[in-house]
Amino acid sequence: MNSEFIERSWQSPDGLELYFRDYAGDDTGKVPVVCLHGLTRNSRDFDALAPHIATLGHRVIVPDMRGRGQSAYAEDSASYAVPTYIADVMALFEQERMKRFISIGTSMGGLMTMLIAQFTPDRIAGAVINDIGPVVDPQGIDKIKTYLGKGGSFPTWMHAARSLEEVHGDSHPTFDTKDWIRMAKRSMTLCNNGRIAFDYDMKIADPFNEADENAVPPDLWPGFEALAGKPLVLVRGALSTILSEETLAEMQRRAPGADIVVVPNAGHAPTLDEPEVRSAIDALLGKVG
């Protein structure tokens, strides 16, 4: 057990044991916060933000989605889909008796937040949507397909960091070696054979790669609009290939009260550790109370 959080688990509706970090906070009157990671990521993405929020009194729940981090891998790769992830976290909320929460969602976690808002709007007291919108730029999808599920392993953290920089350097042009090593340690793990590898089930790529490119995407605007009247922070990396300027402008039009933060020299996705993002999150927490 880490001194800052308790390592806990819950069971998915189809019987998988899933993992989450539980940061206690010290004010039971404050609305709890749920941090939802991106497609290939895990709870470690929030290892700086979550304890900061806990120091403000909020309990913070940070799950590993199925197939990531310390959560079990699914036998059926078709279950690696946003509706299943939402059913999984709903089971977590039921276990923890969480009727209302603030959602902080990066990329896939932001899609989950919008869909939860669409079907159970009263659950979400406020939200941070990080570098994702109801319309996903096809350029970004093409980029994800170049690396998703490709595997590979590395002999040292330095090798792992350099590999990440080769793939994602255009998204984080100001990162130095220390930043890339930090990203590697958030997204990879030391395996039993002494090699370092990505900390997710490579089969999460299956539904992504098998999706019909000609299919009409689901309409996510109703979910976003369900958030529009709540305290809301919209984060975009200025170099993002996932959230276009046009989509962000339309989100701002439909949610005029939202706080917009565009992070310079960042693509997909900002880390949420940037000072301007942290300030916006703190302000949102203050609005919700």
Side-chain angles (χ1 to χ4, degrees):
M1 188 183 83
N2 186 294
S3 61
E4 295 176 325
F5 60 86
I6 299 170
E7 296 186 301
R8 299 185 57 205
S9 66
W10 88 101
Q11 193 170 74
S12 71
D14 58 349
L16 294 182
E17 184 170 353
L18 305 178
Y19 167 94
F20 70 100
R21 293 180 171 192
D22 190 350
Y23 297 78
D26 61 6
D27 187 341
T28 55
K30 290 194 172 180
V31 178
V33 175
V34 177
C35 297
L36 300 171
H37 62 71
L39 181 65
T40 65
R41 314 293 296 185
N42 60 70
S43 56
R44 297 193 298 278
D45 266 2
F46 302 99
D47 61 11
L49 178 62
H52 166 74
I53 294 172
T55 65
L56 301 177
H58 297 264
R59 181 188 182 192
V60 188
I61 299 287
V62 193
D64 284 344
M65 294 300 120
R66 61 173 60 210
R68 285 85 165 173
Q70 296 187 61
S71 283
Y73 287 14
E75 288 187 22
D76 180 6
S77 65
S79 75
Y80 290 135
V82 169
T84 309
Y85 305 142
I86 290 173
D88 289 347
V89 296
M90 287 298 188
L92 170 60
F93 301 152
E94 192 69 28
Q95 173 182 297
E96 298 303 306
R97 298 186 174 142
M98 288 176 57
K99 307 234 176 268
R100 194 163 169 263
F101 61 91
I102 298 162
S103 184
I104 299 179
T106 292
S107 194
M108 182 184 81
L111 294 177
M112 292 173 63
T113 301
M114 287 185 276
L115 284 166
I116 292 169
Q118 181 171 345
F119 296 109
T120 57
D122 293 342
R123 275 191 179 272
I124 298 185
V128 179
I129 306 294
N130 183 21
D131 211 60
I132 195 74
V135 178
V136 180
D137 194 320
Q139 181 186 354
I141 298 292
D142 291 342
K143 172 69 183 284
I144 290 170
K145 286 181 177 177
T146 66
Y147 63 81
L148 180 64
K150 303 296 191 222
S153 65
F154 311 95
T156 69
W157 286 110
M158 182 62 77
H159 286 87
R162 285 176 179 157
S163 175
L164 281 180
E165 184 176 10
E166 285 175 14
V167 176
H168 300 289
D170 54 349
S171 293
H172 301 285
T174 62
F175 271 21
D176 59 19
T177 300
K178 191 163 121 188
D179 294 319
W180 288 113
I181 289 174
R182 184 185 300 113
M183 182 176 275
K185 290 189 173 182
R186 284 179 170 181
S187 59
M188 301 187 194
T189 189
L190 184 63
C191 303
N192 291 335
N193 63 2
R195 302 278 293 184
I196 294 158
F198 287 97
D199 202 7
Y200 69 87
D201 184 355
M202 292 299 127
K203 290 193 294 184
I204 69 171
D206 292 354
F208 203 89
N209 293 329
E210 292 164 8
D212 182 356
E213 293 182 4
N214 298 315
V216 177
D219 183 5
L220 296 175
W221 285 109
F224 176 75
E225 288 171 349
L227 296 169
K230 305 173 188 288
L232 183 61
V233 174
L234 306 178
V235 181
R236 178 179 184 265
L239 308 176
S240 179
T241 58
I242 290 284
L243 176 59
S244 69
E245 291 180 79
E246 293 76 17
T247 298
L248 179 63
E250 181 61 18
M251 293 166 78
Q252 191 169 11
R253 188 186 74 77
R254 298 194 192 203
D259 189 1
I260 311 294
V261 184
V262 178
V263 181
N265 295 314
H268 187 73
T271 64
L272 303 182
D273 298 329
E274 300 86 0
E276 62 269 43
V277 178
R278 191 66 63 83
S279 295
I281 292 173
D282 288 355
L284 178 139
L285 295 172
K287 287 177 191 172
V288 176

